[in-house]
Amino acid sequence: MNEADTGLPVTVPSTALFTDQYELTMLQAALRAGTAERRSVFEVFTRRLPEGRRYGVVAGTGRVLDAVENFRFDDRMLEFLRAGKVVDGPTLEWLADYRFSGDILGYPEGEVYFPGSPLLRVEGSFAECVLLETVILSILNHDSAVAAAASRMAVAAGGRPLIEMGARRTHELAAVAASRAAYVGGFDTTSDLAAGFRYGIPTVGTSAHAFTLLHDTERDAFQAQVDSLGSGTTLLVDTYDVTAAVRTAVEVAGPGLGAVRIDSGDLLLLAHRVRQQLDELGAEKTKIVVTSDLDEYAIASLAAAPVDAYGVGTQLVTGSGHPTCSMVYKLVARADSDEPGAPLRPVAKRSMGGKTSVGGAKWAARPLDADGVAEAEVIGSGPVPEELAPHQLQAELVKGGSVIGREPLQAARERHRATLERLPMSAKQLSRGEAVLPTEHLR
């Protein structure tokens, strides 16, 4: 966001070159052909969910709005394009004045989606819409993949706190985006200070094994940490011998020790042993935090263990085996001329191999049964049936080039939690299965 939820200013650089060259060469050819200003509608959707997943999670919408707002070609960018002979002079002149002036509708951030869901609809001239393809897809594919993994992990955690700690496992800028997406999907805190600064996500962190190894004894390390951070800190107890470390930790910090962290070994066995030892030492309120390359399945396997919080890194920021959502950005309708009132007509690619798409600007609705549980993902074009109108999913995000759909990150997080509660119970199963809701197309 241009400003974090905390009100701290954050400079967002131009996103104009976060694109593929063919978008600019298409623009040049369309300008020359006189078709660039035809009113067009592009949609973002995915043809399938990652194998075995029962729902997807929309994340990155707020970042998309920032990207569209900051899609500007400055003098240095234009010189780069000129020097590389990427496009011709008239196209460079057109790019110098580029400002998106169209409309964007989409699923609100934190909402879930299914195959064919029209996640984002971008409407304007062909020229201004086609340039946004790559930057929109790069944000939504990455952030939605992380949010989906986070959601599954939050379900597996059953309400226990989750710490995002994957910054060192991905690109430094992707780490900030991943932390944001994880927060939308149900994580509670992050270790990444850049994410805390930019988006107001609560940050946590105490010490690594290096701090223990720095000191002459484990007791010295624990004492130094408690002297600095107080007895409510979290002490890392698996550098040498866990049993000895827990005993020393309680001796140093007292029964008011905040937590101990276990980062290796048989987490299920160690959690039970450490809990018993802490209780015997009078530290009944000391919590147990586990880390060590967790994913949703490992978290679920610890459901019966006396674990109070989980820290997750690699599997979270890589989408737990599915680092992209395979979203695409396709032209679905366009006018036959550049006249302002020219009607839109559906267009669609005809292809072998499952890459077909459905033409026409589409709406989406998700009706509920008598118990408030979602029944289907209904997608159509044209007028929305009266009975489906209250259940429409798309919201206005950009109108006439102005962002109107920006919201606090907390709203997306709360929306996702509420949306999950309206899905069938099988949505929360980690076992492989089909999409939890069928997709119905109304013609």
Side-chain angles (χ1 to χ4, degrees), residues 97-130:
D97 296 325
Y98 179 85
R99 300 290 186 274
F100 180 74
S101 63
D103 302 332
I104 300 178
L105 283 79
Y107 281 37
E109 192 157 17
E111 186 55 86
V112 300
Y113 69 88
F114 301 93
S117 296
L119 304 180
L120 205 69
R121 183 202 301 175
V122 182
E123 183 169 347
S125 71
F126 175 84
E128 63 181 340
C129 294
V130 74

Side-chain angles (χ1 to χ4, degrees), residues 17 43 63 69 118 124 140 149 175 179 190 235 260 271 362 379 388 411:
L17 293 184
E43 285 181 347
R63 297 208 307 121
E69 241 182 8
L140 292 181
S179 180
T190 180
L235 295 176
V260 295
K362 290 174 280 297
I379 300 168
L388 293 177

Side-chain angles (χ1 to χ4, degrees), residues 35-372:
T35 54
E37 297 305 319
R38 288 184 175 183
R39 192 160 61 102
S40 301
V41 178
F42 287 81
E43 285 181 347
V44 175
F45 63 94
T46 184
R47 297 182 177 93
R48 65 191 66 83
L49 296 176
E51 184 179 357
R53 295 285 175 90
R54 295 174 179 265
Y55 61 89
V57 181
V58 179
T61 309
R63 297 208 307 121
V64 165
L65 298 180
D66 293 340
V68 172
E69 241 182 8
N70 290 280
F71 204 94
R72 306 281 188 272
F73 290 87
D74 62 27
D75 291 341
R76 291 184 302 168
M77 294 176 179
L78 293 171
E79 179 55 35
F80 164 75
L81 297 174
R82 179 182 294 107
K85 299 181 180 179
V86 175
V87 290
D88 61 17
T91 305
L92 289 171
E93 292 178 11
W94 190 94
L95 291 173
D97 296 325
Y98 179 85
R99 300 290 186 274
F100 180 74
S101 63
D103 302 332
I104 300 178
L105 283 79
Y107 281 37
E109 192 157 17
E111 186 55 86
V112 300
Y113 69 88
F114 301 93
S117 296
L119 304 180
L120 205 69
R121 183 202 301 175
V122 182
E123 183 169 347
S125 71
F126 175 84
E128 63 181 340
C129 294
V130 74
L131 295 183
L132 300 176
E133 174 182 2
T134 298
V135 70
I136 285 176
L137 289 179
S138 65
I139 292 171
L140 292 181
N141 268 313
H142 172 269
D143 289 22
S144 297
V146 174
S151 178
R152 285 165 60 84
M153 292 173 189
V155 167
R160 296 172 180 175
L162 289 159
I163 308 163
E164 183 279 312
M165 48 197 304
R168 64 192 61 196
R169 304 302 187 202
T170 188
H171 184 279
E172 67 272 16
L173 298 181
V176 181
S179 180
R180 182 186 183 282
Y183 192 68
V184 170
F187 273 61
D188 302 279
T189 54
T190 180
S191 65
D192 187 20
L193 291 177
F197 173 74
R198 179 164 294 188
Y199 297 117
I201 302 169
T203 60
V204 294
T206 51
S207 68
H209 293 102
F211 186 76
T212 300
L213 296 170
L214 168 69
H215 293 81
D216 294 336
T217 68
E218 195 167 47
R219 180 180 293 273
D220 290 343
F222 288 173
Q223 189 65 62
Q225 185 173 327
V226 170
D227 289 345
S228 175
L229 302 178
S231 61
T233 190
T234 299
L235 295 176
L236 181 58
V237 295
D238 72 322
T239 305
Y240 304 118
D241 178 84
V242 173
T243 301
V246 171
R247 184 184 310 110
T248 301
V250 176
E251 289 174 357
V252 170
L257 173 63
V260 295
R261 177 163 75 95
I262 308 170
D263 188 51
S264 60
D266 185 334
L267 298 180
L268 180 61
L269 176 62
L270 288 173
H272 281 286
R273 287 181 175 175
V274 168
R275 180 74 272 159
Q276 181 179 352
Q277 185 182 9
L278 287 170
D279 292 347
E280 290 172 351
L281 293 170
E284 293 92 349
K285 294 185 179 180
T286 298
K287 298 183 182 301
I288 297 175
V289 180
V290 297
T291 51
S292 187
D293 208 23
L294 300 176
D295 63 9
E296 60 265 48
Y297 300 104
I299 292 171
S301 73
L302 294 168
V307 172
D308 298 287
Y310 306 91
V312 189
T314 303
Q315 294 301 318
L316 175 61
V317 299
T318 58
S320 194
H322 298 287
T324 181
C325 301
S326 300
M327 293 177 186
V328 294
Y329 183 93
K330 296 297 182 183
L331 181 66
V332 296
R334 56 91 169 169
D336 288 326
S337 72
D338 58 6
E339 293 296 323
L344 291 169
R345 66 180 182 87
V347 295
K349 173 183 178 181
R350 294 180 181 177
S351 174
M352 303 292 288
K355 280 196 169 185
T356 57
S357 56
V358 179
K362 290 174 280 297
W363 50 262
R366 192 177 299 149
L368 308 177
D369 66 15
D371 296 317

